Amino acid sequence: MDAYTAPSLFQPHRARQALRDAHAGVIPPLLGFYFGMSSIPVARVVATLGFDTVWIDWEHTSCNVETMTTMVHDIMFMSQGRTIPFVRVPGHDHAAIGYALDAGASIVVPQVDTVAQAQHVVSAAKFGAKINGTRSAPPFRLVPGITDGVHDEALGSLFENLNAQAAVMIQIESLEGIQNLDAILTAVPDIDACWLGTLDARISMGLSGNGGMGGSEQEWQDAVKLYEDTMRKHNKPMAGFAMGDAETKKRMAKGKSYVTITADVMGLMGQLKELVDTRPLLPAENKTTE
């Protein structure tokens, strides 16, 4: 993602453009790593691996503002701008959205069901009343002449550049959200991408979670079709998981411009095989000496 690095690593990447280019086929889909646990040391290792993106889950982990900010900074600086950090914020809180963006990340906002919610999210993420932005400028994040870096004057001020750089992805995680998606994308065009949260969506519909892997029920298939048709109508990038064997990954990634392909928790789960394989190799043995 070198081409999408900002003029300063204190600024967010040009993530909006990266998503658009992946959607248009200018570049391949963005390949991402998912942090299911908030671990700064693990983030420092992952930063060196070459993923296009990482997903820092502030919603479902015991993560505070300082840990989230440090993970974002370590990903950006230790990858030398190669990897774009996305932070899933905990809900729609105006301050949380600002914290993640101030850190230099792009954001993922969960459980967006209505036009009003989407309008609030984008307003909290943008500077400037002319575009209904209500984000507060961080006075000591981008210090003039020190950490702000240069910006594209053709796009306007530094803050207009920041508006154009950081991406806003929303998660649609209910049937209500799927049914309202057309209205959401019509009313709030500054949403950059959508992720269908299959686990929450299925649970909200009274279906089995299936670990977020979808299902064959007709009502589910109809909901997915409506979601995908709406995304195509608005020509917006889709995002989601693509995990498993090669054919499963291809199937899950079809039509998506941002795919998460592995996670820290999956790596740990893989260690179970080591335990299962090793136990029979080392049976009980009398090691005492007479």
Side-chain angles (χ1 to χ4, degrees):
M1 294 290 102
D2 292 339
Y4 303 98
T5 303
S8 164
L9 290 178
F10 287 93
Q11 294 181 23
H13 287 73
R14 297 185 177 96
R16 300 186 77 191
Q17 190 62 49
L19 285 167
R20 291 168 184 158
D21 285 353
H23 182 59
V26 176
I27 60 174
L30 308 183
L31 302 183
F33 182 95
Y34 177 93
F35 286 105
M37 297 178 292
S38 299
S39 171
I40 293 169
V42 173
R44 290 171 179 163
V45 174
V46 172
T48 69
L49 299 181
F51 282 92
D52 299 327
T53 70
V54 297
W55 172 300
I56 298 168
D57 195 346
W58 192 14
E59 181 189 20
H60 287 303
T61 64
S62 55
C63 184
N64 58 24
V65 174
E66 290 81 3
T67 298
M68 177 276 294
T69 300
T70 300
M71 291 177 71
V72 170
H73 289 176
D74 284 353
I75 289 294
M76 294 180 77
F77 281 85
M78 299 190 76
S79 74
Q80 298 181 322
R82 173 70 182 79
T83 301
I84 303 174
F86 281 75
V87 171
R88 176 159 64 174
V89 297
H92 303 174
D93 180 64
H94 189 286
I97 290 170
Y99 280 134
L101 290 167
D102 288 353
S106 289
I107 59 170
V108 182
V109 182
Q111 297 183 331
V112 175
D113 293 325
T114 67
V115 169
Q117 289 173 345
Q119 288 172 328
H120 164 77
V121 164
V122 172
S123 174
K126 300 294 183 181
F127 297 110
K130 288 183 179 179
I131 58 170
N132 298 316
T134 56
R135 181 181 170 193
S136 177
F140 301 116
R141 167 63 182 168
L142 298 171
V143 181
I146 300 176
T147 59
D148 56 347
V150 298
H151 61 273
D152 185 351
E153 294 185 0
L155 294 176
S157 69
L158 169 63
F159 297 103
E160 289 170 311
N161 274 256
L162 298 179
N163 284 346
Q165 289 169 208
V168 177
M169 184 189 303
I170 64 170
Q171 287 190 283
I172 301 299
E173 302 188 88
S174 69
L175 184 59
E176 178 187 12
I178 293 171
Q179 292 171 338
N180 286 336
L181 184 58
D182 185 28
I184 288 170
L185 295 179
T186 299
V188 194
D190 279 332
I191 291 169
D192 297 298
C194 296
W195 177 298
L196 178 60
T198 53
L199 178 61
D200 275 342
R202 286 181 58 82
I203 291 172
S204 76
M205 293 170 66
L207 304 173
S208 62
N210 283 354
M213 297 299 289
S216 59
E217 305 90 346
Q218 189 61 51
E219 59 184 310
W220 174 249
Q221 294 297 317
D222 291 345
V224 171
K225 183 177 186 303
L226 176 58
Y227 166 80
E228 292 178 346
D229 287 348
T230 304
M231 293 296 290
R232 283 190 287 268
K233 173 184 175 181
H234 290 270
N235 197 25
K236 289 286 187 178
M238 289 188 282
F241 287 113
M243 298 180 174
D245 60 32
E247 289 306 312
T248 302
K249 281 183 178 178
K250 287 181 181 179
R251 175 178 56 79
M252 294 180 70
K254 186 177 181 181
K256 295 183 175 69
S257 304
Y258 176 122
V259 289
T260 294
I261 60 172
T262 191
D264 49 6
V265 177
M266 292 181 66
L268 291 174
M269 290 170 61
Q271 302 309 304
L272 177 60
K273 184 176 185 301
E274 292 294 327
L275 178 62
V276 171
D277 290 348
T278 303
R279 282 203 184 278
L281 300 178
L282 304 175
E285 181 181 353
N286 185 355
K287 301 177 185 65
T288 62
T289 57
E290 296 295 336

